[in-house]
Amino acid sequence: MSTHSPRGLHWFQALSDGAAQVGGLPPSLKVADAQLGEWPARYLTVVADPANRFARARDGEVGLLEGWGLAHAVDQAIAADRDQPHKRVLIAIVDVPSQAYGRREEALGIHQALAGAADSYARARLAGHPVIALLVGKAMSGAFLAHGYQANRLIALRDDGVMVHAMGKASAARVTLRSLEELEALAASVPPMAYDIDSYASLGLLWQTLPVSNAEQPSPSDLGRVQESLIEAVKDVQASGRDLSSRLGADNRSASRQVRDLLRAQW
């Protein structure tokens, strides 16, 4: 039985408002075109598929099918809107526990599949599609890099179940040869090591965090608050451009800014 949270699916259903889903994609991908305020939008999310032919991708992980499927769905939007003056908004609804780790995934090139998804999102952003990521659950490891991280703006629900990190706590403890208690103590003073959304926000990568009454199953008021935030994010993107420079403003990104300044001066 799947242990993956249904958050991504619930928010997809609420935001797409019953719109017909895009066909030709694996069952672990939900994609639909619907309206967001005055703009057409394409909503995309990865969900659990207990029957996934790749066993390591049955609980909502982003694997081979998901990576290439996301790339295909985004490329479809780029091609369809190429000659349109107003490109549709791409909304990546993010609740991904991990990339899919397995021998078959490695042998068949999961690095290429996930890179393909990230590349498509980046090309969409540079082609003029406002790309917004809505973090409603976990945004972990290569899964988040493939689905969401290339967005112009990142919005996260303010909820304990929303977390961003390179790997889960148990895995991080094994890799760093620390206990979970030691890891949590370290995270208290080193924001990049923490899992809570406020620590991640302190790195300057989030455009907004939103309190909601129910992150698992959005209420009408939760849905309205999120839709309003998405609309404001699109307006902000349209006013300020396609790059990701807005992520460098936080105090905890001062070293990143200094490195970029030095590279720019030397080149």
Side-chain angles (χ1 to χ4, degrees), residues 4-265:
H4 180 51
S5 119
R7 292 184 182 209
L9 178 60
H10 290 167
W11 280 97
F12 170 83
Q13 292 170 332
L15 288 165
S16 63
D17 193 26
Q21 292 184 29
V22 174
L25 298 169
S28 52
L29 288 185
K30 302 295 181 184
V31 178
D33 293 315
Q35 201 70 13
L36 174 67
E38 62 187 89
W39 304 283
R42 171 160 287 194
Y43 296 89
L44 310 96
T45 197
V46 179
V47 301
D49 173 23
N52 196 311
R53 62 187 295 188
F54 293 97
R56 296 292 187 177
R58 291 177 178 170
D59 285 330
E61 298 88 352
V62 178
L64 295 159
L65 299 179
E66 295 72 30
W68 290 126
L70 286 167
H72 177 67
V74 174
D75 283 351
Q76 269 188 339
I78 296 173
D81 292 357
R82 182 165 288 121
D83 298 323
Q84 300 298 319
H86 303 294
K87 316 295 186 185
R88 82 189 74 183
V89 181
L90 299 178
I91 308 293
I93 302 168
V94 181
D95 183 16
V96 285
S98 175
Q99 67 192 69
Y101 292 100
R103 292 180 180 176
R104 286 198 296 170
E105 280 77 12
E106 294 297 330
L108 295 174
I110 188 174
H111 61 291
Q112 293 178 319
L114 270 59
D119 176 69
S120 292
Y121 274 120
R123 285 188 291 103
R125 173 170 55 78
L126 295 174
H129 292 266
V131 182
I132 314 299
L134 176 65
L135 279 56
V136 302
K138 292 180 179 178
M140 306 294 276
S141 70
F144 181 39
L145 298 182
H147 177 54
Y149 194 66
Q150 276 294 327
N152 298 93
R153 300 292 181 271
L154 302 173
I155 300 169
L157 304 185
R158 186 178 291 277
D159 179 81
D160 288 344
V162 179
M163 59 183 70
V164 185
H165 213 281
M167 61 181 69
K169 285 186 181 181
S171 299
R174 286 195 298 271
V175 168
T176 60
L177 302 180
R178 290 180 169 88
S179 67
L180 285 175
E181 293 75 17
E182 290 172 330
L183 195 67
E184 289 171 351
L186 184 63
S189 59
V190 183
M193 293 293 295
Y195 285 79
D196 65 285
I197 202 63
D198 286 329
S199 293
Y200 187 71
S202 74
L203 301 176
L205 299 167
L206 294 178
W207 182 70
Q208 195 172 65
T209 58
L210 295 174
V212 292
S213 62
N214 190 340
E216 293 278 352
Q217 182 68 66
S219 67
S221 62
D222 292 335
L223 180 60
R225 185 177 296 115
V226 167
Q227 287 174 322
E228 181 179 343
S229 177
L230 291 171
I231 289 170
E232 290 303 314
V234 173
K235 292 179 179 178
D236 192 54
V237 171
Q238 292 178 333
S240 59
R242 305 172 184 178
D243 64 23
L244 304 180
S245 59
S246 63
R247 299 183 181 185
L248 293 172
D251 290 342
N252 282 335
R253 298 307 299 280
S254 59
S256 296
R257 292 195 302 273
Q258 184 180 9
V259 167
R260 283 165 173 77
D261 290 342
L262 291 170
L263 286 172
R264 197 173 293 113

